[in-house]
Amino acid sequence: MGEFKVHRVRFFNYVPSGIRCVAYNNQSNRLAVSRTDGTVEIYNLSANYFQEKFFPGHESRATEALCWAEGQRLFSAGLNGEIMEYDLQALNIKYAMDAFGGPIWSMAASPSGSQLLVGCEDGSVKLFQITPDKIQFERNFDRQKSRILSLSWHPSGTHIAAGSIDYISVFDVKSGSAVHKMIVDRQYMGVSKRKCIVWGVAFLSDGTIISVDSAGKVQFWDSATGTLVKSHLIANADVQSIAVADQEDSFVVGTAEGTVFHFQLVPVTSNSSEKQWVRTKPFQHHTHDVRTVAHSPTALISGGTDTHLVFRPLMEKVEVKNYDAALRKITFPHRCLISCSKKRQLLLFQFAHHLELWRLGSTVATDHLLHLKTKGPENIICSCISPCGSWIAYSTVSRFFLYRLNYEHDNISLKRVSKMPAFLRSALQILFSEDSTKLFVASNQGALHIVQLSGGSFKHLHAFQPQSGTVEAMCLLAVSPDGNWLAASGTSAGVHVYNVKQLKLHCTVPAYNFPVTAMAIAPNTNNLVIAHSDQQVFEYSIPDKQYTDWSRTVQKQGFHHLWLQRDTPITHISFHPKRPMHILLHDAYMFCIIDKSLPLPNDKTLLYNPFPPTNESDVIRRRTAHAFKISKIYKPLLFMDLLDERTLVAVERPLDDIIAQLPPPIKKKKFGT
């Protein structure tokens, strides 16, 4: 691998926002996740759980509910009282509509997907019709005395269940009238509490309503008679969420103690047709409250205050023998929040509402140069520092910012470039050319803009418009070191290569059915290296408009099975300036150098430990050497790149540091204390 001096950086004080709600879409096998800062993320579970899209957060958008309707349409609602629909192509908010019921606590789409139900602070349940372009208010149901915290439709669409404080209401959808009101027992561990909050309800086909509440109980109700059938006390704290499988033979609940419980419908005896709900083993994959759960055909999904998104596979649906290999825990975004100025050895860190600029000194010393705070409630979408360190650009939904930096000894001055054009806002990706004279901006409308930088001014040179009139947001950019080529990857996994000098589309890389997670263009050869979410890596010659011989060899032989089993995507690719056969890349848990001059490892070869003992002969050493040199020293690894021929910078974010900054979890009494 070679010897490198390493700047090991651990002062990127990044803390992901907690997960507030999740919504699983069975048709597309995608999961929508909303966080406490209003950010919404879309994970493609068929594409190796890759976070393929995201919508930036907003200070005034506290999302409390999230649901899919009409197949692929995504809606959210929250404490600002608005219902929003998301444009999954342009990656922006289509519209926001006030429900006029105060803060919205719950939302559910009808089984047909054509209607939307919201539960409000004022006790109202409101029904909306989903039209092709928008949603339209239809009517109010009978108003209740307290806020509506949870909602569930009967699969027939004729009735709904609504959880509130101290009771559950059953409504007839046709008339909007409440037909039953079921009072929830306030008793908790033998003591009567002041109130019992029904955090979640699930309406089953046979008329059973399952509720979870703040008294730590899971309860089964008969909706026809309005009576309690069975009760399970499962926690010493709130049970906050519930999700039922489509077949209604399994459901999952999450508690404020960080525990996830799985219930299954099993026969009473081996030959019996009568079935009963049985609680299986509890799972403790979270340190804090499990605020939300979802149930896919193959996994139980949970998220909460500790920021982890956990996929616990259903064992009967897991193909791999090792359970730990099947468990997924996603903590960090699948996009880069760090950019680097190699010439000045600077790092720019992106947070929700500010940027930090740090200078690397020796490998043990650093300087905090700049804290740049945004104005307004919008989160930063993307940011970048130029290779020369003289420019910083960042974007929010409504504004684009460009700053010129001047350095005088240990002092730094900042000057904002005024009157940026409106078409640059809502940029999804920003990238500077290697010589820092051009700025490339990918807008959420699918256009790619080229801006000329000179002195302290800018000039808009050109805009590449999306192909064939489609609006496809470009999420990743790569520019060649000579500045001649620009590669752009869209949300549908396509990669287009543009000729920057001639200002025209040069070629389109053959389509591949997994999203691009990282890409970069090699110096001298102008080979485009592309990593996909299924862990495949391709090398495409831009001048020749075809895959390289090395790439064809890789696809013929195939990667090592352990490489393909990795569950975190490659997020960054770079190259060694003096070693053209080397490709440097990393994910959150490993740094790898691929040496194209060496043979690929086969499945019988050790992938992660290719080096024999030092006393082995050179002949044996050469015989066992292969192309993959992997280091797992640095983790979780958010960014790694070469500063020069012999120096690496590695930005780590230890999970313990994140947990230490979260609110304390509920303390549980341990046996014998």
Side-chain angles (χ1 to χ4, degrees):
M1 185 179 283
E3 296 292 328
F4 292 101
K5 185 171 69 172
V6 180
H7 291 272
R8 197 166 184 175
V9 173
R10 288 192 169 188
F11 47 78
F12 181 26
N13 194 26
Y14 171 72
V15 180
S17 294
I19 294 172
R20 181 59 195 92
C21 37
V22 298
Y24 175 70
N25 187 318
N26 208 358
Q27 292 181 24
S28 64
N29 199 25
R30 281 173 169 80
L31 184 78
V33 177
S34 75
R35 296 186 180 267
T36 53
D37 67 349
T39 300
V40 172
E41 302 161 344
I42 310 292
Y43 290 83
N44 187 342
L45 307 194
S46 300
N48 208 9
Y49 299 79
F50 179 61
Q51 185 193 111
E52 63 180 5
K53 302 175 184 180
F54 84 101
F55 300 85
H58 193 284
E59 281 183 349
S60 67
R61 286 205 306 261
T63 305
E64 284 292 321
L66 198 63
C67 76
W68 298 90
E70 284 277 305
Q72 305 294 319
R73 293 174 68 176
L74 180 64
F75 297 87
S76 75
L79 300 184
N80 62 357
E82 291 182 338
I83 304 169
M84 294 189 301
E85 183 176 359
Y86 297 87
D87 188 327
L88 299 179
Q89 291 300 117
L91 298 187
N92 58 15
I93 293 170
K94 276 188 182 179
Y95 58 86
M97 175 185 285
D98 198 322
F100 295 103
I104 299 172
W105 291 95
S106 52
M107 179 169 59
S110 64
S112 66
S114 61
Q115 293 173 303
L116 201 62
L117 207 61
V118 296
C120 304
E121 174 74 20
D122 65 359
S124 64
V125 177
K126 298 174 183 288
L127 184 66
F128 291 83
Q129 193 73 30
I130 300 174
T131 64
D133 300 319
K134 216 172 181 181
I135 58 173
Q136 186 174 332
F137 175 73
E138 198 164 319
R139 70 163 179 272
N140 284 312
F141 287 14
D142 288 352
R143 181 170 292 189
Q144 304 302 296
K145 290 182 180 179
S146 58
R147 63 180 66 145
I148 307 298
L149 291 157
S150 49
L151 289 167
S152 179
W153 289 77
H154 186 272
S156 67
T158 58
H159 291 79
I160 63 161
S164 192
I165 298 174
D166 291 336
Y167 61 90
I168 301 166
S169 302
V170 179
F171 294 91
D172 181 278
V173 174
K174 193 172 184 179
S175 66
S177 302
V179 295
H180 281 298
K181 189 181 232 181
M182 298 170 287
I183 307 300
V184 181
D185 185 9
R186 299 185 188 185
Q187 289 287 322
Y188 170 70
M189 303 291 284
V191 179
S192 181
K193 299 184 76 176
R194 285 184 302 169
K195 59 185 178 182
C196 183
I197 303 169
V198 182
W199 287 117
V201 288
F203 214 149
L204 305 186
S205 300
D206 63 1
T208 301
I209 295 173
I210 310 172
S211 67
V212 297
D213 57 44
S214 60
K217 296 192 292 287
V218 175
Q219 297 188 311
F220 296 82
W221 306 81
D222 185 335
S223 65
T225 60
T227 56
L228 179 65
V229 177
K230 196 169 185 180
S231 181
H232 292 265
L233 180 64
I234 65 167
N236 296 324
D238 297 43
V239 185
Q240 297 182 308
S241 48
I242 180 171
V244 181
D246 285 346
Q247 291 77 21
E248 298 186 356
D249 58 353
S250 166
F251 71 87
V252 57
V253 299
T255 76
E257 297 173 327
T259 311
V260 171
F261 291 94
H262 186 204
F263 285 76
Q264 289 180 293
L265 192 61
V266 297
V268 175
T269 60
S270 57
N271 297 320
S272 173
S273 60
E274 185 185 352
K275 294 184 177 182
Q276 64 180 357
W277 287 103
V278 175
R279 189 183 81 192
T280 61
K281 178 186 173 185
F283 296 90
Q284 190 82 35
H285 298 305
H286 296 272
T287 58
H288 291 62
D289 304 42
V290 179
R291 299 291 302 273
T292 180
V293 291
H295 199 313
S296 83
T298 58
L300 309 178
I301 305 164
S302 56
T305 308
D306 66 1
T307 78
H308 299 312
L309 181 61
V310 176
F311 297 85
R312 179 193 164 264
L314 298 169
M315 287 309 297
E316 62 272 18
K317 305 291 176 68
V318 177
E319 295 179 3
V320 295
K321 294 179 181 179
N322 186 350
Y323 173 77
D324 289 333
L327 181 74
R328 293 288 180 100
K329 184 179 282 191
I330 299 173
T331 305
F332 300 103
H334 293 165
R335 62 185 191 280
C336 198
L337 301 174
I338 300 158
S339 60
C340 177
S341 165
K342 296 181 181 181
K343 292 178 182 176
R344 287 191 178 268
Q345 302 214 338
L346 303 172
L347 290 176
L348 183 70
F349 297 148
Q350 177 183 319
F351 296 85
H353 293 284
H354 75 275
L355 302 172
E356 288 182 3
L357 185 64
W358 293 75
R359 177 167 54 203
L360 301 169
S362 66
T363 52
V364 294
T366 53
D367 295 317
H368 186 190
L369 298 180
L370 186 65
H371 181 103
L372 184 58
K373 195 174 187 314
T374 63
K375 294 179 181 178
E378 297 173 340
N379 283 18
I380 297 173
I381 302 174
C382 57
S383 61
C384 192
I385 186 169
S386 63
C388 68
S390 298
W391 299 93
I392 288 178
Y394 73 90
S395 177
T396 66
V397 168
S398 62
R399 303 181 75 182
F400 185 91
F401 298 87
L402 180 64
Y403 290 89
R404 174 78 169 172
L405 281 70
N406 290 308
Y407 303 86
E408 293 180 12
H409 305 295
D410 290 335
N411 297 321
I412 183 171
S413 61
L414 195 67
K415 184 180 180 182
R416 182 180 161 192
V417 179
S418 60
K419 298 180 181 178
M420 298 302 296
F423 54 74
L424 292 180
R425 67 189 182 191
S426 289
L428 295 175
Q429 187 72 278
I430 305 169
L431 189 63
F432 289 91
S433 62
E434 192 82 8
D435 61 5
S436 302
T437 62
K438 290 185 178 67
L439 176 65
F440 304 98
V441 180
S443 80
N444 69 339
Q445 297 300 314
L448 293 174
H449 299 280
I450 303 178
V451 176
Q452 180 79 42
L453 303 173
S454 59
S457 63
F458 75 96
K459 178 185 177 184
H460 185 250
L461 292 181
H462 188 71
F464 295 112
Q465 296 301 329
Q467 301 298 305
S468 66
T470 59
V471 177
E472 184 193 16
M474 294 294 174
C475 301
L476 284 173
L477 297 177
V479 63
S480 61
D482 60 15
N484 292 338
W485 307 105
L486 175 68
S489 170
T491 52
S492 64
V495 179
H496 306 294
V497 180
Y498 298 90
N499 188 318
V500 177
K501 283 191 174 180
Q502 298 179 9
L503 300 177
K504 67 177 184 179
L505 178 67
H506 175 69
C507 64
T508 298
V509 179
Y512 188 67
N513 54 359
F514 283 86
V516 179
T517 67
M519 60 182 184
I521 302 174
N524 303 320
T525 61
N526 282 325
N527 288 336
L528 174 64
V529 178
I530 308 169
H532 292 270
S533 65
D534 63 345
Q535 310 299 354
Q536 295 291 343
V537 178
F538 296 91
E539 187 181 52
Y540 186 84
S541 171
I542 293 175
D544 297 337
K545 299 184 183 182
Q546 63 181 10
Y547 289 114
T548 64
D549 291 341
W550 178 82
S551 190
R552 294 178 192 277
T553 302
V554 169
Q555 295 313 307
K556 187 176 180 180
Q557 180 177 330
F559 283 112
H560 197 284
H561 71 282
L562 291 178
W563 176 266
L564 298 176
Q565 285 176 10
R566 291 173 19 260
D567 60 8
T568 53
I570 293 166
T571 52
H572 190 256
I573 301 172
S574 59
F575 306 94
H576 196 290
K578 295 293 178 68
R579 297 173 187 168
M581 298 302 285
H582 286 191
I583 302 171
L584 287 69
L585 42 81
H586 76 82
D587 64 15
Y589 294 98
M590 68 93 206
F591 169 63
C592 175
I593 296 177
I594 300 177
D595 187 341
K596 296 188 294 179
S597 65
L598 292 174
L600 293 168
N602 57 42
D603 283 350
K604 296 178 182 179
T605 312
L606 285 172
L607 177 68
Y608 291 113
N609 187 24
F611 302 108
T614 53
N615 57 359
E616 294 277 4
S617 70
D618 286 344
V619 175
I620 297 176
R621 185 185 293 270
R622 283 195 297 270
R623 192 183 301 154
T624 56
H626 62 66
F628 285 72
K629 309 296 185 291
I630 296 173
S631 169
K632 289 192 171 185
I633 298 173
Y634 313 101
K635 57 186 178 183
L637 186 59
L638 298 192
F639 179 79
M640 195 165 207
D641 202 359
L642 275 171
L643 292 175
D644 56 44
E645 296 172 26
R646 298 183 177 275
T647 311
L648 283 169
V649 57
V651 180
E652 300 171 273
R653 188 64 178 132
L655 294 177
D656 289 346
D657 292 356
I658 293 175
I659 297 297
Q661 295 187 48
L662 298 177
I666 291 176
K667 292 184 178 179
K668 289 178 284 189
K669 184 177 175 64
K670 294 183 179 179
F671 179 76
T673 60

